[in-house]
Amino acid sequence: MNSSSLFRLSMTTLGGALLLAAPLFAPVCAQAQPAAPKDGGHAPKWPFPMGEVLDYRVNVARGGNIGTGQMRVEGPVIERGVPTWRLVSEMKAKRAFVKATDRTTSWIDPVKFAAMRFEKSERHPLSHSDELIEMDLAAGTWRDDKGEAQALGSPLPLDELSFLYFLRTIPLDREGTHTFNRHFDEARNPTLVTVGAEELVETAAGQFTTRVVIMHVRDPKHYKGVGLIKINIETSSCRIPVRIVSKMPIVGATTLTLVSRTAPDHHCES
């Protein structure tokens, strides 16, 4: 395999590590999801505030440090009359003179914690792709850019990016396995999420006590069968994804490691 092909595969994994770390699903177990407020008018206090920015270093097993990643929470943004939070993930990679970028955006209703819109744009050396998904919670349908309506896989749907944020809300005080059925595409449900032992992770941002969370991912585009993604989620009130590891053929392991977190007027409590 030539270096150009390896780089394209690295970028596929690169985008997958942040996004696949979220093949979206909603818990069948009631205790695994915080309840929305009964008045329906105010968002619960989620671990991630508007304005939060997470920066990552990206390494691949067969290429070292190839780029950077960032996840951030923007808003509020009005989407079809609903005040939403806009979740953004951006990935940038470079090998010699070859560059590639991935950008994914998810608009979520923070009261229901449900996605309303999802966009993904990939620009790789020899290819590019764009994806647009619109979710109509009232009608129970979703449409891609081709316009064909399909039944939602969940009444409170999520996408790849919003699910990663959803994982920051599940219980981490004990080991266990949760079954989720929240992906907007029924073909991607269900998924198992296993909460494992505590693990100390050393990063440029400091040392973190984390819980190991393993996701069993159904994603034919990136995996044959079921893939595994390991996420180290900090155990403080901020539930920061400190490290994300995704293993794929040829490229091997892709690791995103936290470099810094910025969150104005928001502090993490042990």
Side-chain angles (χ1 to χ4, degrees):
M1 172 171 288
N2 60 39
S3 60
S4 176
S5 298
L6 180 58
F7 183 80
R8 290 198 303 275
L9 280 166
S10 299
M11 277 305 299
T12 299
T13 312
L14 181 61
L18 267 184
L19 304 176
L20 289 178
L24 304 200
F25 329 52
V28 171
C29 305
Q31 74 273 16
Q33 179 178 352
K38 293 181 179 180
D39 61 13
H42 301 283
K45 185 178 179 181
W46 303 115
F48 39 89
M50 278 191 293
E52 181 190 68
V53 179
L54 303 176
D55 288 296
Y56 293 89
R57 181 183 70 249
V58 182
N59 290 76
V60 293
R62 304 182 185 182
N65 186 357
I66 66 168
T68 60
Q70 184 181 89
M71 295 192 296
R72 59 184 184 268
V73 183
E74 301 176 344
V77 178
I78 302 300
E79 177 68 22
R80 283 172 276 161
V82 177
T84 67
W85 290 7
R86 183 166 58 199
L87 311 178
V88 181
S89 165
E90 291 184 321
M91 311 287 289
K92 298 179 181 180
K94 182 178 180 181
R95 175 66 58 83
F97 299 103
V98 182
K99 298 180 181 180
T101 61
D102 285 15
R103 178 186 171 94
T104 302
T105 309
S106 176
W107 288 257
I108 66 165
D109 178 338
V111 176
K112 298 178 179 178
F113 208 95
M116 298 181 63
R117 182 179 177 186
F118 173 72
E119 291 184 0
K120 184 175 182 179
S121 175
E122 297 180 343
R123 298 293 183 267
H124 297 176
L126 300 179
S127 65
H128 70 272
S129 64
D130 295 288
E131 182 179 6
L132 170 62
I133 303 294
E134 297 276 0
M135 285 155 266
D136 187 334
L137 277 60
T141 60
W142 65 274
R143 297 175 184 269
D144 57 19
D145 48 11
K146 297 178 182 178
E148 182 179 351
Q150 302 182 56
L152 283 172
S154 167
L156 297 174
L158 296 172
D159 51 63
E160 286 99 348
L161 180 56
S162 55
F163 188 71
L164 183 53
Y165 281 87
F166 169 75
L167 278 182
R168 296 172 66 178
T169 71
I170 69 174
L172 294 180
D173 58 334
R174 59 188 177 278
E175 297 182 20
T177 299
H178 305 285
T179 301
F180 296 97
N181 291 280
R182 284 236 359 223
H183 200 285
F184 67 84
D185 184 353
E186 179 59 35
R188 297 278 296 276
N189 291 323
T191 285
L192 295 181
V193 175
T194 301
V195 178
E198 287 192 352
E199 188 171 280
L200 278 177
V201 177
E202 189 78 38
T203 77
Q207 186 180 75
F208 297 88
T209 300
T210 70
R211 278 280 187 178
V212 175
V213 177
I214 304 292
M215 295 191 59
H216 302 252
V217 180
R218 289 188 178 191
D219 188 342
K221 182 177 180 180
H222 296 93
Y223 295 98
K224 293 182 179 179
V226 177
L228 297 179
I229 295 173
K230 176 184 176 183
I231 310 171
N232 286 87
I233 300 180
E234 183 202 20
T235 57
S236 82
S237 61
C238 292
R239 295 290 198 268
I240 302 169
V242 174
R243 186 169 60 197
I244 303 169
V245 181
S246 175
K247 292 185 178 180
M248 298 182 71
I250 302 177
V251 178
T254 296
T255 303
L256 289 86
T257 305
L258 184 72
V259 173
S260 67
R261 174 184 184 264
T262 303
D265 302 321
H266 187 265
H267 304 285
C268 303
E269 299 177 1
S270 301

